[in-house]
Structures are given as structure tokens and as C-alpha cells.
Amino acid sequence: MNMKIAFVGKGGSGKTTLSSLFIRHLAHRGVPVTAVDADINQHLGPALGLSDEEAAAVPPLGGRLPLIKEYLRGDNPRILSAETMIKTTPPGAGSRLLRLDEDNPVFAACARDVDLGEGRSARLLATGAFTEDDLGVACYHSKTGAVELCLNHLVDGRDAYVVVDMTAGSDSFASGMFTRFDLTFLVVEPTRKGVSVYRQYREYARDFGVALRVIGNKVQGRDDEEFLREQVGDELLVTVGHSDWVRALERGVRRPFGELEAGNRAALSVLYREADAAYERRDWGRYTQQMVHFHLKNAASWGNERTGADLAAQVDPGFVLGEEPVAQAVG
Ligand SMILES: Nc1ncnc2c1ncn2[C@@H]1O[C@H](COP(=O)(O)OP(=O)(O)OP(=O)(O)O)[C@@H](O)[C@H]1O
Ligand SMILES: [Mg+2]
């Protein structure tokens, strides 16, 4: 199985920190993991131990959109050219699908192996830096669009994880990116602002059956804990306190992963258990329907006009993404 996990939350809540810890946790358990930095501030590479120069040298997915589109389109007759392929264009018969355990031109162009130390590594992909201006429904060159395209074309790769560090911004709601995961971890600080981002996200999530779990971060003491419990209720999965291990890493001191605080290690085990259990609830039919839903929405609101084509015609009605994709002729 191949699990798609997102870490979202407001700026500064700890998305990058917690996704990097989760990535390390998986790597230390021998789980192949592909880390995707899709956050406005591109900090996942450094959080995984890359120097700033090494992180800056990771080729951005956003800069390789033509290559990505040309590859994924394959010989799908419904997609007439890479130019008419937008971030929501769904795969169909003839499309090329991505597998985590294979070599392909997309990974060859953009993925880099990151040495996590202690004999562990992860594969890293990055969207490239973007600003709030890059976000929004009308963004043809959206940086996160490359990630959405890849997620929509991703199939099995056994027992591997994709972990995406991303912003909880409006872009992910407009494009449908927020529906692309088996489980979404929403990182919330015990503040009113943190909780309000949670409420907004939950509204969208509910309408689309998105599985959401809240991680309280920077939780100090019982008052913080009670505040979150009261505001979030059952969706609060775990809380994480201040980590000296994380702080040391920020000072450039890399301690063995086993020295991460016991409480925080226990929290990571809970995340893994929860993520693994999400596989049972996966529904490829719904997953495919949702990508079509968001594609039609994007086509009507800006895509048709921008490309001068009828993008609704890109939808292959007989296609269902899955570990064994189904493509049947619809008469
Ligand atoms: N549990 C923690 N213990 C210690 N420091 C933490 C913890 N969580 C986050 N931090 C620190 O808080 C700061 C913000 O965290 P981080 O960069 O992970 O947040 P973010 O949500 O990814 O932010 P951005 O929106 O800027 O991408 C960092 O300096 C990080 O090291
Ligand atoms: Mg970040």
C-alpha cells in the first residue's frame, strides 16, 4: 500500500517540524518515504538535515511542469497537449501513472535522496518557493499544481509513504488538493487563532469526507491541553510539547533520533498507527470522482478560458484510479 499523508496548519504552527519528525519516524522503521515540500516557506529540506545550499539545489517541481505534464499525459487521447493540461486534469486510459518504487522521468528530474543519518534516508521533492499571490483558483502556473497532478496519477508502490508538508491556504481548497490524502494531520497551536484555522479546515473537510486528525503543538502544561480538548474535542489525536531535540537541530546539533523525547516519540507512534489504519477506509471510486469534481470546477471557472479548450472533455468517464486501474469503454 502506499499512503498519502498531509501535514497542514497555519503559518508557524509546526507543520514542517512535525512532518520532518514523522518522516524520520517512518524511515527509522524501515518504511520507504517520499517527502514533499509544498509549503509557502520551503523548509522541509533543512528540517531533514540538508544545508541551505543543498536544499536550494533540489530542482523545484513547479519549474518542471511541462515535463511532468508531457510524461503523465502519455498517449491519453482526451488530453490533446501538455498546454491544455491543468493541475486538476485527471488521468484516463492512456495516461501514465506514477509508482513510488519505480524510476520515472519525474523523479529523475526532481527527486533527491536525503541522508537522515544513522543509515536512513528519504526521497525529497519540492514545489519551489511561492507567495500568497501564487495561490488561488485562477493560478495556471500554481506551484502546488505539480504536486496535485502527481498525487492524482499516483498508484501503489507497496508499503511506501508520501508525506506532504503544505499550507492550509485557499489554494488547496479551490483545487481539491486537500482531498488527495488518506489522512490529514492538522497542526494546531493552543491559541484562538490556531483553533479558528482548524474550524475552517474542518468545514471543508466534512463536506468531502476528508479524514482529519488534529495534532496539538507547542503545548505547555495542562491549561493548553484542556483548551485544545475543549475546542477540538474528539478530533484531537495527540499533543506535542516543546522539544529540546528539535531546538538542538535548529542550532545545527544533530542528535540520534532515539534521543527524541519519549513523549514525542510516543506521539509519532500514534500518528503512524492512525495513518496505517486510514488505508482501510480508502475508496478509489470516491477519490476519482473528487478529482473529476474539482477538475470540472476549475475548468469552468478559469481553465477553459485560459487554454481555449473544453477541458471537461478530458474526463474519461470509464476510468477509476486504483492499484489496478480500471479503464473500460463507455458506449
Ligand atoms: N514541538 C516543538 N518543539 C520545539 N520547537 C518547535 C516545535 N514545533 C515547532 N517548533 C519551532 O517553531 C518554529 C516554527 O515551526 P515550523 O517551521 O515547523 O512551522 P511551520 O508551520 O512549518 O511554519 P511555516 O508556516 O513558516 O512553514 C520553528 O523554529 C520550529 O523549530
Ligand atoms: Mg513550514
Side-chain angles (χ1 to χ4, degrees), residues 60-107:
L61 284 164
R64 298 297 170 92
L65 264 173
L67 175 150
I68 294 168
K69 289 175 177 176
E70 201 54 66
Y71 178 71
L72 295 178
R73 172 169 93 89
D75 49 24
N76 182 336
R78 293 182 167 82
I79 306 170
L80 303 176
S81 68
E83 288 72 42
T84 59
M85 197 164 174
I86 64 171
K87 58 190 174 182
T88 51
T89 296
S95 291
R96 289 204 182 92
L97 301 173
L98 293 174
R99 292 170 197 276
L100 291 174
D101 58 2
E102 65 168 14
D103 293 324
N104 60 56
V106 177
F107 293 159

Side-chain angles (χ1 to χ4, degrees), residues 33-52:
V33 50
T34 300
V36 182
D37 193 350
D39 200 356
I40 293 184
N41 303 309
Q42 296 268 290
H43 290 151
L44 189 57
L48 293 172
L50 293 187
S51 67
D52 289 344

Side-chain angles (χ1 to χ4, degrees), residues 10-17 39 41 217-218 241-243 246 250:
K10 78 171 186 66
S13 57
K15 301 175 291 290
T16 301
T17 301
D39 200 356
N41 303 309
N217 189 28
K218 307 187 188 177
H242 172 86
S243 166
V246 167
E250 294 227 301

